């Protein structure tokens, strides 16, 4: 298999002279949740890691794999992973911590389902659903699935089905310990040399700042995600 565990991938991307402990030294801890605060710079760092992860599927990362899942598109989306994550961060109005949770959930899919393919044909839907679950689990306020479907560029019935399927793939395990949370956060920042991204201080309560729904064409045209069918 061409897959490696996410921790090994992040370690290989990280600089050899940047110990994990160095990132955690200046991180503030939320006294209420006991989780490290996450700076806004984590989202572009995560995008870089996930782009690299999806590219491991093959030379171009776009070729249809032998195993097709319900998360697959029929062709690569128009939006890059970075643009898609930026769109989600803008319109979900979720806390930055949700992106760490989403990464952990994605890794659980790979760990608990050996051979599960992740590539440029399914990474966008996997990202979308992982962040939806993270927002529902972590944030006190979140949107409906119909709204998340509009932001993500897929139909509501697909979001509903993919959400259940994702939960099945991770055995409904949404709980994350503070130690695991900080480990994943640190590894991502180290992997992209983004130590400064984690030093922006505590974020505002993004979940409480719900704004107007995104404008423009909401469904597949909005995010460039063609329907994958029921394969």
């Amino acid at each position: 298999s061409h897959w490696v565990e996410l921790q090994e991938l992040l370690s290989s991307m990280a600089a050899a002279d940047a110990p994990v402990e160095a990132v955690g030294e200046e991180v503030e801890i939320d006294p209420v949740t006991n989780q490290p605060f996450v700076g806004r710079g984590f989202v572009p760092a995560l995008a870089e890691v996930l782009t690299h992860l999806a590219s491991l599927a093959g030379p171009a990362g776009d070729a249809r794999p032998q195993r097709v899942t319900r998360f697959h598109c029929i062709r690569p989306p128009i939006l890059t992973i970075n643009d898609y994550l930026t769109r989600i961060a803008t319109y979900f109005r979720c806390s930055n911590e949700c992106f760490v949770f989403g990464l952990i959930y994605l890794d659980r899919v790979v760990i608990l389902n050996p051979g599960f393919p992740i590539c440029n044909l399914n990474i966008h839907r996997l990202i979308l659903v992982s962040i939806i679950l993270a927002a529902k689990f972590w944030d006190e306020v979140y949107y409906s699935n119909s709204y998340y479907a509009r932001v993500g560029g897929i139909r509501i019935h697909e979001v509903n089905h993919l959400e259940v399927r994702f939960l099945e793939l991770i055995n409904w395990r949404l709980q994350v310990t503070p130690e695991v949370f900080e480990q994943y956060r640190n590894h991502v920042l180290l992997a992209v040399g983004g130590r400064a991204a984690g030093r922006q201080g505590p974020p505002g309560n993004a979940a409480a700042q719900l704004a107007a729904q995104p404008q423009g064409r909401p469904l597949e045209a909005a995010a460039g995600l063609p329907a994958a069918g029921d394969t």
Side-chain angles (χ1 to χ4, degrees):
S1 172
H2 58 269
W3 281 107
V4 295
E5 289 190 16
L6 184 59
Q7 292 298 322
E8 295 179 356
L9 169 65
L10 295 175
S11 298
S12 68
M13 292 175 65
D17 58 348
V20 173
E21 293 80 357
V23 177
E25 288 175 353
E26 300 183 15
V27 175
E28 295 188 64
I29 302 297
D30 186 331
V32 176
T33 64
N34 198 34
Q35 296 281 17
F37 284 117
V38 180
R40 291 185 179 88
F42 183 83
V43 173
L46 176 61
E48 185 173 341
V49 168
L50 293 180
T51 298
H52 183 68
L53 188 65
S55 72
L56 296 179
D62 297 335
R64 180 174 291 275
Q66 293 182 353
R67 177 183 176 185
V68 178
T69 72
R70 289 184 177 271
F71 293 89
H72 277 75
C73 301
I74 57 176
R75 59 182 179 273
I78 297 173
L79 291 183
T80 65
I81 293 174
N82 181 70
D83 289 341
Y84 196 59
L85 274 171
T86 299
R87 176 180 174 83
I88 289 175
T90 299
Y91 292 117
F92 272 30
R93 298 284 178 167
C94 59
S95 62
N96 294 323
E97 286 77 10
C98 289
F99 293 93
V100 182
F101 277 92
L103 174 64
I104 295 172
Y105 297 159
L106 283 173
D107 196 28
R108 285 179 180 174
V109 169
V110 175
I111 291 175
L112 296 175
N113 303 273
F116 186 92
I118 296 182
C119 63
N120 286 335
L121 292 177
N122 67 3
I123 187 65
H124 290 70
R125 281 182 166 85
L126 289 167
I127 289 172
L128 176 68
V129 177
S130 69
I131 303 302
I132 290 175
L133 292 175
K136 291 181 177 181
F137 178 78
W138 178 252
D139 289 347
E140 294 182 0
V141 181
Y142 52 85
Y143 283 116
S144 65
N145 274 8
S146 61
Y147 176 78
Y148 288 141
R150 291 181 57 199
V151 174
I154 63 177
R155 294 180 175 86
I156 176 62
H157 73 87
E158 284 190 87
V159 170
N160 293 337
H161 289 308
L162 294 179
E163 185 177 27
V164 173
R165 180 55 183 152
F166 196 106
L167 286 168
E168 292 173 345
L169 289 171
I170 62 173
N171 292 335
W172 302 78
R173 290 176 50 202
L174 296 174
Q175 184 66 43
V176 176
T177 66
E179 294 76 18
V180 169
F181 180 95
E182 186 169 5
Q183 179 186 26
Y184 277 79
R185 172 198 169 277
N186 288 345
H187 275 299
V188 168
L189 295 178
L190 283 173
V192 297
R195 293 177 58 184
R199 300 177 181 173
Q200 299 181 18
N205 186 4
Q209 301 171 6
L210 298 178
Q213 294 186 358
Q215 303 299 313
R217 302 169 63 188
L219 295 175
E220 283 81 355
L225 293 177
D230 294 326
T231 56

